[in-house]
Amino acid sequence: MLSTQSATVVRATLPAVGASLGAITELFYRRLFEERPELLRGLFNRANQANGAQREALAGAVAAFATALLERPDERPDALLGRIANKHASLGITADQYTLVGRHLLGAVEELLGDAVTPAVAAAWDEVYWLMAHALIAIEARLYAEACVENGDVWHDMEIVERVEESPDTASFVLSRRDALPTEPFLPGQYVSVQVELPDGARQIRQYSLSTAPGHKTWRITVKRERSADGRVPEGEVSSWLHAHGRPGRILKVSLPFGDLVLPDGEGPLLLASAGIGVTPMLSMLDHLTATAPDRPVVVVHADRSPAQHAHRLELSEHVSRLRHASLHLWYENDADAPGESGTRAAHVHEGQAAVSGLTLPTNTTAFLCGPLPFMQAVRSDLLAHGLAPAAIHYEVFGPDLWLSK
Ligand SMILES: Cc1cc2nc3c(=O)[nH]c(=O)nc-3n(C[C@H](O)[C@H](O)[C@H](O)COP(=O)(O)OP(=O)(O)OC[C@H]3O[C@@H](n4cnc5c(N)ncnc54)[C@H](O)[C@@H]3O)c2cc1C
Ligand code: HEM
């Protein structure tokens, strides 16, 4: 909880700091990477730096945390902190790195706001930073302890033992431990970080959801290749590298699994709604349900460009057909009536944008969403209108979460 003295100062300066957070986080990263260029090449996602997404996520998170401290001082914003801490844990972030980040973040505030940053203002924002930092450090320490690792030691070598082309732009990679021991346990919906060394020598890290159930001897990730749109933006660095070089026998550095979008045990009804490559965490959940809870009521909704571009189309329908009370609703922008589509078992196939408003969903449904933000926002609005509680709607963003802090 923020001290009374600092709360007064933070309340008075939040509008000014909040209005400058975009500039503050931009300067923060510039100063951080001037001092430690290896962090940009080896830890941070340089596409998220170039397109501004990570600056926006950091600014949003700091503003949301400061606002929560003032408006709900007795509550910890666990959803916000948990999402960040899981991402940090999958990167092996350590407690000592918070001192460096804090120095540059608070330094950027002082540099940009100048004389407005009196010693009292600096002290109050230092307190906000360290409250957030200590909360994150504590959750990360718990995550590391649960994973039985010390000090962010989350990386290990895994070998690609199989590659499967799932659609023209999507390939699955089956991963096995090199020491032939069983893979570590995880919860359906979680992801791993994968690091690759690019031709310019930079090491870049990306996250990929595990797309089969836990408990197998191997893990599987499914990667969509990010193509360059009209040559205006570069093609995705890591997904292109994996598509070009990810063959059986290749060793990858992969983190232990983390992530806060996880399937709860129980018997309550579920909605799994995905679009495009957002199907991956849903596949893991469905695979798990077929083995552990085949009677659980599940409605599966998936949207894609066309049946041909829909990765794991048959696998999705096979999982659904193994569940006794499940239905599958597919929406395609094009070719919904392509020959063979009617053969997708148990599926209701539609053309156009996905809509869940016409589905029969019990109001105690727990919903899991994964896909582009506009898709998830539309589905969430429909679900709220349908009577689902906001707390029953969970989602994963395949990038910095710019939704959580809005
Ligand atoms: C929790 C989580 C789970 C995920 N699970 C999956 C999964 O199961 N499968 C999957 O395929 N992906 C998944 N992702 C996404 C994945 O982590 C990567 O983001 C994705 O593969 C793209 O990475 P990349 O290196 O190929 O592209 P990047 O190089 O990171 O580029 C990303 C985008 O930014 C654009 N860009 C790059 N540089 C610039 C610039 N200078 N200006 C403007 N735009 C630019 C690129 O054109 C591209 O469109 C997940 C992400 C998260 C966070
Ligand atoms: C209080 C301090 C911090 C805050 C508020 C913070 C906030 C954030 C947020 C909001 C994200 C995006 C999470 C998501 O939506 O997935 C993130 C990711 C990340 N953070 Fe932090 N962070 C802090 C400290 C640190 C530290 C100490 C490091 C280590 C140098 C670090 C390194 C990273 C990296 C590498 C990413 C992923 C970046 C990307 O993929 O673009 N963070 N952090």
Side-chain angles (χ1 to χ4, degrees):
M1 204 203 282
L2 204 54
S3 63
T4 319
Q5 213 176 345
S6 292
T8 309
V9 178
V10 170
R11 198 180 302 280
T13 51
L14 185 56
V17 173
S20 304
L21 266 174
I24 290 169
T25 50
E26 185 173 358
L27 183 62
F28 153 71
Y29 280 117
R30 186 145 36 95
R31 296 280 181 259
L32 178 69
F33 298 141
E34 275 164 12
E35 181 181 328
R36 300 283 300 276
E38 74 280 9
L39 290 180
L40 179 58
R41 287 170 63 77
L43 177 65
F44 281 84
N45 173 327
R46 57 187 180 181
N48 289 342
Q49 289 298 321
N51 62 29
Q54 179 57 24
R55 284 198 293 279
E56 206 186 318
L58 178 60
V62 172
F65 185 77
T67 307
L69 281 180
L70 297 177
E71 290 176 4
R72 296 175 297 281
D74 300 327
E75 277 173 41
R76 228 174 51 157
D78 280 337
L80 175 76
L81 295 168
R83 179 133 300 191
I84 302 170
N86 273 278
K87 180 71 74 65
H88 281 170
S90 83
L91 294 157
I93 302 297
T94 50
D96 58 299
Q97 291 175 308
Y98 281 84
T99 306
L100 172 77
V101 163
R103 179 158 55 78
H104 283 293
L105 196 53
L106 296 164
V109 174
E110 289 182 18
E111 197 174 329
L112 274 167
L113 300 188
D115 292 344
V117 186
T118 61
V121 171
W125 280 95
D126 187 69
E127 197 178 327
V128 171
Y129 174 80
W130 280 105
L131 277 173
M132 192 168 191
H134 284 307
L136 288 170
I137 291 168
I139 303 172
E140 286 154 27
R142 179 176 54 74
L143 291 171
Y144 292 142
E146 283 167 5
C148 303
V149 293
E150 278 179 20
N151 209 22
D153 185 16
V154 296
W155 297 103
H156 56 325
D157 285 345
M158 302 221 43
E159 181 175 348
I160 299 178
V161 290
E162 191 186 346
R163 170 182 173 141
V164 180
E165 307 305 318
E166 306 287 358
S167 79
D169 273 337
T170 313
S172 285
F173 301 95
V174 179
L175 306 170
S176 173
R177 281 178 63 132
R178 293 191 77 194
D179 50 17
L181 287 171
T183 50
E184 284 76 5
F186 67 93
L187 297 170
Q190 291 193 306
Y191 57 83
V192 292
S193 287
V194 174
Q195 53 173 275
V196 305
E197 196 171 323
L198 295 165
D200 67 353
R203 179 188 79 160
Q204 283 286 290
I205 305 174
R206 301 291 183 268
Q207 289 70 42
Y208 294 100
S209 302
L210 294 164
S211 61
T212 49
H216 295 292
K217 187 124 180 113
T218 52
W219 287 341
R220 185 184 70 178
I221 57 170
T222 304
V223 180
K224 175 171 177 251
R225 182 174 178 183
E226 287 281 337
R227 292 192 182 274
S228 157
D230 310 329
R232 278 181 285 118
V233 289
E235 64 174 16
E237 293 200 279
V238 173
S239 62
S240 301
W241 188 96
L242 285 169
H243 275 252
H245 304 286
R247 308 251 165 247
R250 167 76 66 171
I251 306 300
L252 295 176
K253 284 233 178 292
V254 180
S255 78
L256 294 171
F258 293 97
D260 59 342
L261 183 93
V262 293
L263 186 69
D265 286 336
E267 294 169 0
L270 298 168
L271 168 74
L272 309 183
S274 56
I277 193 62
V279 72
T280 49
M282 309 307 174
L283 290 170
S284 177
M285 292 183 188
L286 284 166
D287 191 11
H288 182 69
L289 287 168
T290 61
T292 60
D295 285 320
R296 198 156 176 186
V298 189
V299 174
V300 180
V301 170
H302 181 79
D304 227 303
R305 294 252 161 81
S306 68
Q309 282 163 297
H310 178 179
H312 295 290
R313 186 162 57 96
L314 287 180
E315 186 178 326
L316 189 66
S317 101
E318 278 166 15
H319 283 325
V320 172
S321 65
R322 279 191 211 112
L323 296 170
R324 280 190 273 276
H325 305 288
S327 59
L328 173 61
H329 305 264
L330 300 171
W331 269 268
Y332 295 117
E333 287 169 28
N334 307 300
D335 305 332
D337 52 359
E341 200 41 46
S342 54
T344 305
R345 276 189 284 166
H348 305 271
V349 184
H350 315 266
E351 186 147 315
Q353 302 291 320
V356 295
S357 47
L359 302 177
T360 310
L361 296 170
T363 47
N364 63 338
T365 297
T366 305
F368 293 88
L369 321 181
C370 188
L373 219 45
F375 164 82
M376 294 198 288
Q377 283 164 333
V379 173
R380 186 171 185 274
S381 297
D382 281 349
L383 293 175
L384 292 176
H386 201 85
L388 260 71
I393 306 173
H394 308 274
Y395 67 92
E396 185 71 270
V397 181
F398 277 3
D401 186 346
L402 304 179
W403 198 12
L404 191 63
S405 49
K406 292 249 186 281

